[in-house]
Amino acid sequence: MTVTPDTDSTPARGKRPKQGEPVIDRALSLLAVFSDRRRALTLSELARHAGMPAPTALRLIARLVAWGALERLDDGRYVVGVRLWEVASLSPRGHGVREIALPYLEDLFEVTRHHVLLAVRDNEEAVLIERLSSKDATEVAYRVGGRAPLRSTAVGLVLLAGADQQFQEATLRKPPEHEPGVEHMPEGQLRRTLSDVRRTGIAMIRRSAPSKTVSVASPIFDAQGSVVAALSIVVPDGSTPPNVLAPAVRATARAVSRNLGYLAEVSPDVRTHSEG
Amino acid sequence: MTVTPDTDSTPARGKRPKQGEPVIDRALSLLAVFSDRRRALTLSELARHAGMPAPTALRLIARLVAWGALERLDDGRYVVGVRLWEVASLSPRGHGVREIALPYLEDLFEVTRHHVLLAVRDNEEAVLIERLSSKDATEVAYRVGGRAPLRSTAVGLVLLAGADQQFQEATLRKPPEHEPGVEHMPEGQLRRTLSDVRRTGIAMIRRSAPSKTVSVASPIFDAQGSVVAALSIVVPDGSTPPNVLAPAVRATARAVSRNLGYLAEVSPDVRTHSEG
DNA sequence: AATATCATTCCAACCAATGAAAGATGTCTG
DNA sequence: CAGACATCTTTCATTGGTTGGAATGATATT
C-alpha cells in the first residue's frame, strides 16, 4: 500500500476541507473538473467536484473567465475558453507534432479512408493528439484529447516500447488494467512484443469492442532519436490485412520523423532482411 | 489593467511590480508569455516577460509543472504541457466545432487540395481552429491557434457579418488595422460587403502577400441560428475561379451546420403552410 | 405560497504568498 | 584558472491577498 506523507496526525475531516492548498492548485483543479462528459458546468457543480466552497470557486472562476481560460454561456454554465485552447496550441507535444504530422496523416487517410491516429505519451497513458476519420467510419474507442492505456492499444505499445528502460520496467511491474475488448497479454509475451515493436517498427492490436478492429501503429522519432509520438491506422477486422497496412503506416511515420529532423539510421536488420 | 493610483507615499523607485495582483492572474500571465515565436522559455525569460521576480515565477511555475500545464525540457526550459492541451481540447468553440467539422473539411480538402480553414471569433479577432494543407500548398498567413483580423480576411468578414449588431457597429467605428497585402476597404463598402455576406453566405478576399491568393468563406450556424464559425478555402490567385469554389464552400459549411443542429430555413418559394 | 437549489455579496480572521538576500550552479572572459 | 557575470534555487520574516460561513438575492419546483 502506498503511503502519502501525512504531516497531520488527524484526518481532520469535515472542518477543513482543502485549506492551505495553493491557490493555483485550486484553480487548476477547477479546470480538471472538465472532461469529455462534463464540458459545460454550473458554479455549484464545479465547486462540488473540485471540493471547495461555492464562494471560493466563484472567485477563482471569475479570474479564469476574465482571462479567457473559461467562458460563460448564456445559461450561466461555464465551458473551457478559446484563449486557453489558443495557448495550449503552443504545446510542442500537443499541436507541435500534430502540425508537422498532419499533412502526412492526411495522405495516409486519403489513400486508406480509415481512421488515422496520432498519440503521444503522458506519464502512464497515451494521449490522442489527432484523429482523422471519415463520416462513415467504424466506431472507434478514443477521441482527440482523450487518453488510452499503453498496454492495450497499438499506439500505446509503440510509445511504451520507445520509452526509457526504467519507465518500461516500472510499467511492466504494475498490475494491468483490464481493457474491455482487448485480449490480455501476460508479461512474458508483452516483453517479447515490445522487443518486436522496437525491431520491426510496427505494433498491432486486435479489438473486439466497441467494434471488431485491427490497429497497426508505428513510432515517430525526433532529431535526437527518441520516440515522441505514435501513428496508427484502425481498420475493421477482416478488411485490409495488417501486413498490407504496415508498410504504409511505417512509411508515413518515417516521413514525419524525417520532417522532425530524424536521420533514419540505415539499420543492417532492415537492409538485409528483405521482409521489411 | 489600469494603473494603480500613485497617491501612496512609497513610490518604490518607479519599479512597481505587480504587487497585489491575484495569484491566478499572475499564473495566467505566465501562460500568456508563450506565443508562436516563444514556445520554449527559461525561468528568467518567463519572469521578465510576465513582469515578476524570479523566485515568484519559479514558485508559480512549479505548481503549473506539477499539474501538467507546463513541462520542463531537459535543458531547463519550459513549454506548454500536454495536460493543458488535453483540457483545452474540451473547449466547445475550440475543438468542439472542429470535431464535428473535420470530416467535412477533409472532404472539401480532398476534392480541392487547397488550404481549408476553420475559424471562430474571439472578441475582435478570428482564431484559427483548423487548417488543412497539403505538403506542397501555397504559403498561407495564419497558423492553427493563431489570430487573424476580422476586417481583412474572408473568415473574419463572415464572423463579423454574423456577429450581433452592437458588436458590428463597435468594430466599424474602430480605426482599421492595416493588414499588409490586403486592399483597405472604406466603411461604406465594408457595410455593403457585410450585408452581401449575410445575404449570399459567401465572403471573398484577395491577398497579395505573403502570396497572391483568393479566399472564399462561408458561415457555420449552430442550432440557435447563430454564426459560430467560418469555413474558408484559400487558393492561389488565378487558379480555380472563386465563383466555382463558392458552391463547394457553402455546401460544406451547410453540411457542418446541419450536423450542429441547424435547420436550414426553407427558401420562401418552397415554404408551404403544411404544418400550421 | 412554501420549499429547495443555485448564484452572489460581504467581511474579519488568517495563512499562503511575497521578494530581497544569499547561496548554488553554470558560463563566459581575460 | 581565477574572476566576472548570469541564471537558478532556497530561505524566511512580513503582509496583504485569500478564505468561507453567513446572509441575501434570484429561480425553479412542489
Side-chain angles (χ1 to χ4, degrees), chain B residues 161-265:
Chain B
D164 55 286
Q165 195 61 37
Q166 188 184 340
F167 175 83
Q168 282 186 49
E169 282 304 323
T171 303
L172 285 168
R173 265 194 298 278
K174 281 180 187 163
E177 347 77 42
H178 259 260
E179 178 80 357
V182 184
E183 179 178 349
H184 173 253
M185 216 185 280
E187 180 172 335
Q189 188 187 340
L190 182 54
R191 284 185 188 278
R192 239 174 302 124
T193 301
L194 292 179
S195 169
D196 286 351
V197 170
R198 273 188 294 274
R199 191 168 42 78
T200 62
I202 285 289
M204 214 243 291
I205 283 272
R206 271 208 159 70
R207 296 185 71 108
S208 60
S211 57
K212 290 201 172 195
T213 56
V214 179
S215 304
V216 179
S218 193
I220 292 175
F221 301 91
D222 66 2
Q224 285 79 47
S226 314
V227 173
V228 291
L231 179 163
S232 88
I233 190 166
V234 182
V235 305
D237 199 355
S239 65
T240 321
N243 61 338
V244 174
L245 294 171
V249 173
R250 202 164 41 191
T252 306
R254 283 177 79 99
V256 177
S257 299
R258 185 175 303 113
N259 227 263
L260 284 170
Y262 175 64
L263 301 173
E265 55 187 47

Side-chain angles (χ1 to χ4, degrees), chain A residues 25 60 63 71 80 85-86 91 93 95 98 104 106-107 110 113 130 132 135 143 145 147, chain B residues 24-25 63 71 80 85-86 90-91 93 95 98 104 106-107 110 113 130 132 135 145 147:
Chain A
D25 288 20
L60 301 181
R63 303 315 311 151
E71 290 174 5
V80 178
W85 180 87
E86 196 182 336
S91 168
R93 305 203 308 126
H95 262 107
R98 192 204 96 107
Y104 300 94
E106 247 142 30
D107 288 345
E110 197 162 315
R113 275 279 149 185
E130 183 56 290
L132 300 182
K135 296 190 296 291
R143 57 166 262 282
R147 287 171 175 260
Chain B
I24 303 190
D25 289 19
R63 302 316 310 149
E71 290 173 7
V80 178
W85 181 87
E86 195 182 336
L90 298 169
S91 168
R93 305 204 307 128
H95 262 108
R98 192 204 96 107
Y104 300 94
E106 253 146 24
D107 289 345
E110 197 162 315
R113 274 281 150 185
E130 183 56 292
L132 301 182
K135 295 188 295 293
R147 286 171 177 259

Side-chain angles (χ1 to χ4, degrees), chain B residues 6-156:
Chain B
D6 295 338
T7 51
D8 224 359
S9 53
T10 54
R13 287 208 306 105
K15 261 272 186 174
R16 178 164 282 232
K18 300 189 179 178
Q19 247 187 11
E21 202 181 1
V23 199
I24 303 190
D25 289 19
R26 293 176 159 213
L28 292 172
S29 76
L30 282 170
L31 292 184
V33 173
F34 290 90
S35 71
D36 191 20
R37 281 288 103 199
R38 299 180 191 285
R39 298 193 180 212
L41 298 161
T42 65
L43 169 64
S44 46
E45 284 173 327
L46 277 164
R48 194 180 324 123
H49 287 106
M52 63 179 81
T56 302
L58 180 64
R59 198 171 347 104
L60 301 182
I61 289 171
R63 302 316 310 149
L64 293 172
V65 170
W67 188 79
L70 297 181
E71 290 173 7
R72 188 161 203 193
L73 301 179
D74 295 334
D75 60 9
R77 291 185 303 170
Y78 298 93
V79 295
V80 178
V82 178
R83 183 78 195 280
L84 193 69
W85 181 87
E86 195 182 336
V87 172
S89 77
L90 298 169
S91 168
R93 305 204 307 128
H95 262 108
V97 249
R98 192 204 96 107
E99 235 168 332
I100 294 172
L102 189 54
Y104 300 94
L105 302 187
E106 253 146 24
D107 289 345
L108 184 60
F109 172 70
E110 197 162 315
V111 172
T112 63
R113 274 281 150 185
H114 289 122
H115 295 289
V116 174
L117 310 184
L118 181 68
V120 301
R121 181 170 70 83
D122 192 46
N123 293 320
E124 289 146 28
E125 288 165 308
V127 176
L128 232 198
I129 296 298
E130 183 56 292
R131 187 189 86 190
L132 301 182
S133 310
S134 64
K135 295 188 295 293
D136 49 305
T138 47
E139 195 180 353
V140 72
Y142 308 106
R143 56 167 264 281
V144 173
R147 286 171 177 259
L150 291 181
R151 305 170 65 142
S152 52
T153 60
V155 285

